[in-house]
Amino acid sequence: MAMWRAAAGHLLGRALGSRAAHTSAGSKKIVGVFYKGGEYADKNPNFVGCVEGALGIREWLESKGHHYIVTDDKEGLNSELEKHIEDMHVLITTPFHPAYVSAERIKKAKNLELLLTAGIGSDHIDLPAAAAAGLTVAEVTGSNTVSVAEDELMRILILLRNFLPGYQQVVQGEWNVAGIAYRAYDLEGKTVGTVGAGRIGRLLLQRLKPFNCNLLYHDRLKIDPELEKEIGAKYEEDLDAMLPKCDVIVINTPLTEKTRGMFNKERIAKMKKGVIIVNNARGAIMDTQAVADACSSGQVAGYGGDVWFPQPAPKDHPWRYMPNHAMTPHISGTTIDAQLRYAAGVKDMLDRYFKGEDFPVQNYIVKEGQLASQYQ
């Protein structure tokens, strides 16, 4: 299909079929890496995205004779994950607490056949190395697109209306209307541009339409003409030409080698002074220090999002301390509703894997040595 292109360094001399996702008879060792639920694990029976919830598939897997290990310990040579790399067949991880799967780890994983992302976005995996090793990489496409788009809209409003200082005043026993109102704005009439108009970007544009904004989008491809007309969004082929037009910029592009660090000091300087930026895509798309400096100087009036690099973010990460931010841990795509969707998607793909059946085509990120086009 057109969406697949040959990966760089095709197979690096290794036999393509040697580690393809076709199961052989017998028990499989499956490792899941998720964030720890801790004291919150038992507060909601549908909280399946944590270590304790284990995607709700432990009983099902063990009833089929498979070995299922779940942990949040993923970094370093002494981590729990590292202990199982050599003999695991399947690794399930999540963008919210990603297990970084490097070429070195792939080389160690002699039995590994399948890498599944519980959610959307597989940039925590060295995809060319996975393709070269004949691995299959798949994610649950569409599982949390609504969740992320809703969160982006929320952060736009939080930043434009200067909500957080008002909340902090209440908590601290203060009352200073002027301290909030001097930089609070309506969303109506503002120009909002999304960098990327895939599933999440399109959903965001649809949700912005009732606010009577001027909507722009930049992407490799134009969206469907009928949908474009319905939303009232205008295509901008030149990103650098779009940026100065926008009061609000939302990042909705995947992290690739082309997009890594694409919003550096020079590109941020091209934006309208006082711009609002929302980024729920990937933290590494931004130059970390350039964003912090722009927030401090006022070039960026507010920056919000839930993605950092690395994750979890270190305590000294500059985005924790920059002014006028609306940052949280990586939460937008792991609502309870999203967890149930991506848990069901993972179970479906595992079931197909055990039976030797193909996955839904849109879920493949690496298949038979080829990368999905968005990761080229």
Side-chain angles (χ1 to χ4, degrees), residues 201-230:
R202 291 195 300 270
L203 286 171
L204 176 65
L205 291 171
Q206 289 174 308
R207 282 153 177 73
L208 284 168
K209 183 183 178 183
F211 287 89
N212 297 320
C213 302
N214 178 28
L215 300 176
L216 307 176
Y217 73 97
H218 169 79
D219 204 314
R220 295 178 299 125
L221 303 171
K222 295 185 70 173
I223 63 178
D224 179 77
E226 288 188 12
L227 180 60
E228 186 181 75
K229 183 178 179 181
E230 176 190 328

Side-chain angles (χ1 to χ4, degrees), residues 281-313:
R282 288 295 182 266
I285 293 171
M286 317 300 290
D287 179 319
T288 298
Q289 193 58 51
V291 170
D293 291 344
C295 285
S296 296
S297 72
Q299 172 65 16
V300 172
Y303 182 90
D306 68 334
V307 288
W308 310 67
F309 184 77
Q311 290 186 180

